[in-house]
Amino acid sequence: MPERFVTRGFVGRRESAGAQANRIPPGQHLVKDFPVLSAGPTPRTDLAKWTFRIEGLVKEPVSWGWNDFQKLPAQDFVKDISCVTKWTKLDTRWRGVSVDILLEQVELDRRAAFVTAFSDGGYTTNIPLPELVNGQAFVAYGYDGRPLAPEHGGPARLVVPHLYFWKSAKWVRGLRVMEKDVSGFWESLGYNNHGDPWKEERYTGD
Amino acid sequence: MSEPLDDELVLDGNAAAGALSEIYGDEMTTVLAECASCGQVDPIGGLLAYVHAPGIVLRCTACATVMIRIVHTPRGTLVDVKGKRIPPPPPRT
Ligand SMILES: [Zn+2]
């Protein structure tokens, strides 16, 4: 069976259509491009003025400038992402800093339970703290081997791939740690507070 | 936020005409809206409209502050009005 052997080597890691289908949450369809969704003008933040801040229920707030943020230990992440507007994109390739690394720099208050991610332009989104840790979320500044483009949230965006992509705040500038949950920009107007694509948590009441 | 018009995805408020008239039962694009943040006054049809998002967002032409948000859900359409002078949406039935 030499031919089969060659063929297997050739297709390498390519998956069968069935295996891909198993990675697409209910109600979603696969896209190859990367749709741009935006609720406002694309901010063009001067990197010299950019900061990333962790505030709220921490002993001392911490803030990094762009250059310091680049010096934090970075990782490559390959993730499937799903937007509530029903597209799913597989194997998106990011570079950034795990939220675990960022949280190592602060001392969390015992009451810390929820996080609001806040962005340039005033966008906010809320995520339970336990869903941002243990490798589940990162702040990305690279996409597909290049700096993250402004229309996709550059210079940096939060990425929380296991939740609908509105939780992955573009142009993110920090995390506010809180005791109580505070609804974000979409969560306060009909979108689900949690947003798990595998449970189709699209709207309030889903 | 100095160049809100310099953006490919922005339309004008007329793009929300249908959604607004569904909510209000009336043509809304000629109604004047005043930005709660900077005081700019524009007809709703002249606001900056972002429709390529989970909802429709209308913003001030001068400072891009959010004035109206509209979200269609399976259980009805939700609207949030922040701009001054814009009449409150009629109660949902
Ligand atoms: Zn304004």
Side-chain angles (χ1 to χ4, degrees), chain B:
Chain B
M1 225 45 82
S2 54
E3 294 173 82
L5 285 166
D6 180 22
D7 203 289
E8 285 175 23
L9 293 174
V10 67
L11 301 172
D12 70 40
N14 293 309
L20 285 168
S21 67
E22 250 174 59
I23 294 159
Y24 284 92
D26 209 348
E27 167 59 33
M28 293 300 288
T29 53
T30 54
V31 171
L32 292 179
E34 179 182 341
C35 175
S37 179
C38 79
Q40 171 81 17
V41 176
D42 280 303
I44 288 175
L47 297 176
L48 306 179
Y50 293 84
V51 301
H52 302 278
I56 297 170
V57 180
L58 300 181
R59 293 176 179 263
C60 171
T61 58
C63 76
T65 292
V66 175
M67 296 175 73
I68 301 175
R69 294 181 297 159
I70 302 164
V71 170
H72 297 289
T73 84
R75 289 171 281 278
T77 298
L78 301 173
V79 60
D80 175 55
V81 172
K82 288 268 158 38
K84 295 183 191 171
R85 299 198 198 184
I86 307 170
R92 297 168 65 200
T93 48

Side-chain angles (χ1 to χ4, degrees), chain A residues 44-85:
Chain A
R44 310 274 168 175
T45 307
D46 184 355
L47 291 184
K49 291 180 186 151
W50 185 93
T51 56
F52 189 90
R53 187 175 160 83
I54 300 179
E55 61 182 42
L57 287 178
V58 293
K59 196 169 180 190
E60 291 280 346
V62 61
S63 178
W64 296 268
W66 183 255
N67 290 333
D68 287 336
F69 201 83
Q70 303 297 306
K71 288 176 192 154
L72 292 167
Q75 284 169 261
D76 292 315
F77 300 87
V78 180
K79 297 289 179 186
D80 300 344
I81 55 176
S82 288
C83 176
V84 74
T85 58

Side-chain angles (χ1 to χ4, degrees), chain A residues 128-156:
Chain A
L129 178 61
E131 300 209 28
L132 288 176
V133 297
N134 298 323
Q136 295 180 95
F138 51 93
V139 175
Y141 48 71
Y143 179 76
D144 232 357
R146 295 209 182 87
L148 181 60
E151 65 267 29
H152 288 304

